[in-house]
Amino acid sequence: NAGVTQTPKFQVLKTGQSMTLQCAQDMNHNSMYWYRQDPGMGLRLIYYSASEGTTDKGEVPNGYNVSRLNKREFSLRLESAAPSQTSVYFCASRPYGGYTGELFFGEGSRLTVL
Amino acid sequence: QKEVEQDPGPLSVPEGAIVSLNCTYSNSAFQYFMWYRQYSRKGPELLMYTYSSGNKEDGRFTAQVDKSSKYISLFIRDSQPSDSATYLCAMNHTGNQFYFGTGTSLTVIP
């Protein structure tokens, strides 16, 4: 059972380059999330998708776009990377109507923007 | 003011010690309170979940919520080196957004 799979695990970009982080879950979850984690800042929500076909901004959406490709996949795109986007990015999913707040996280994608 | 405040530590304790981790929050609408554990270079994983006020125990772990004080705690009894990780508190109300603390780094020394 793979859970939440993120690719790539590591990436180095130059300022101004673009890239897409991919996320897929095999748990049939409805909701999916993208967070970034920075030292001293904790996890901050970038975008989320409550269900297939919907996306909403989180706390720090500027500089990012997302696509909920289907129920399984939720991608995060950086159109013109900036050094401030150097971070560890986590994708997470959550079952619809789950009684808990349980988010299932991937292992993270470490991005460095030079 | 951040919605959730958590002392980042780091916290270093000897094996077998009782560990207390805490968070405070400002939004009285929060109803669901969670503790996630994150090992180095891994994603967070849910450790404990509590709805509203009260205590919840799971093995060596106890989660407490005091909504009147807007204060939650995680206690770890008989701490083990394998408990060495970063512990994140998280909260939400009925919506889709979760609010995380910054995490407390814990090291249990054998």
Side-chain angles (χ1 to χ4, degrees):
Chain A
N1 188 358
V4 178
T5 303
Q6 293 182 232
T7 55
K9 288 186 168 44
F10 301 93
Q11 184 72 49
V12 179
L13 291 177
K14 294 181 180 178
T15 297
Q17 288 186 318
S18 62
M19 77 157 299
T20 299
L21 299 176
Q22 306 284 356
C23 176
Q25 52 92 8
D26 62 2
M27 297 173 285
N28 200 35
H29 288 174
N30 277 51
S31 300
M32 297 185 74
Y33 300 75
W34 276 105
Y35 287 90
R36 60 178 289 174
Q37 187 175 40
D38 303 289
M41 303 293 289
L43 284 162
R44 293 183 292 169
L45 182 63
I46 305 171
Y47 272 93
Y48 68 98
S49 171
S51 61
E52 187 178 355
T54 68
T55 60
D56 285 286
K57 295 178 180 179
E59 181 185 357
V60 288
N62 291 346
Y64 305 95
N65 285 302
V66 290
S67 294
R68 184 74 183 267
L69 304 170
N70 48 55
K71 191 171 184 178
R72 290 186 66 248
E73 299 172 288
F74 189 38
S75 63
L76 179 71
R77 182 161 179 84
L78 287 71
E79 291 291 352
S80 179
S84 61
Q85 294 178 303
T86 294
S87 187
V88 182
Y89 291 85
F90 287 99
C91 178
S93 68
R94 179 189 186 202
Y96 174 73
Y99 75 98
T100 72
E102 184 163 11
L103 291 168
F104 293 79
F105 285 88
E107 296 218 331
S109 297
R110 285 160 178 79
L111 175 66
T112 300
V113 183
L114 302 175
Chain B
Q1 182 187 5
K2 295 181 72 172
E3 299 242 29
V4 180
E5 299 279 358
Q6 183 175 8
D7 186 339
L11 193 59
S12 183
V13 301
E15 184 175 352
I18 296 174
V19 176
S20 173
L21 304 168
N22 310 292
C23 288
T24 59
Y25 62 95
S26 57
N27 190 340
S28 58
F30 289 145
Q31 297 182 56
Y32 300 93
F33 303 91
M34 294 140 276
W35 287 95
Y36 283 82
R37 179 174 60 195
Q38 184 177 20
Y39 291 116
S40 181
R41 296 192 167 271
K42 297 290 187 183
E45 57 181 351
L46 185 69
L47 188 61
M48 297 283 286
Y49 151 81
T50 308
Y51 172 68
S52 193
S53 283
N55 293 1
K56 186 172 186 177
E57 189 173 319
D58 184 3
R60 297 184 294 110
F61 298 89
T62 299
Q64 288 186 349
V65 175
D66 181 350
K67 291 190 73 178
S68 63
S69 301
K70 297 190 180 68
Y71 188 87
I72 71 169
S73 300
L74 177 71
F75 297 95
I76 307 174
R77 292 184 298 280
D78 186 25
S79 56
Q80 302 295 309
S82 59
D83 295 328
S84 297
T86 296
Y87 291 81
L88 302 159
C89 62
M91 308 173 191
N92 79 336
H93 28 75
T94 57
N96 284 297
Q97 294 204 32
F98 294 75
Y99 299 85
F100 284 85
T102 53
T104 300
S105 176
L106 171 66
T107 300
V108 180
I109 303 168

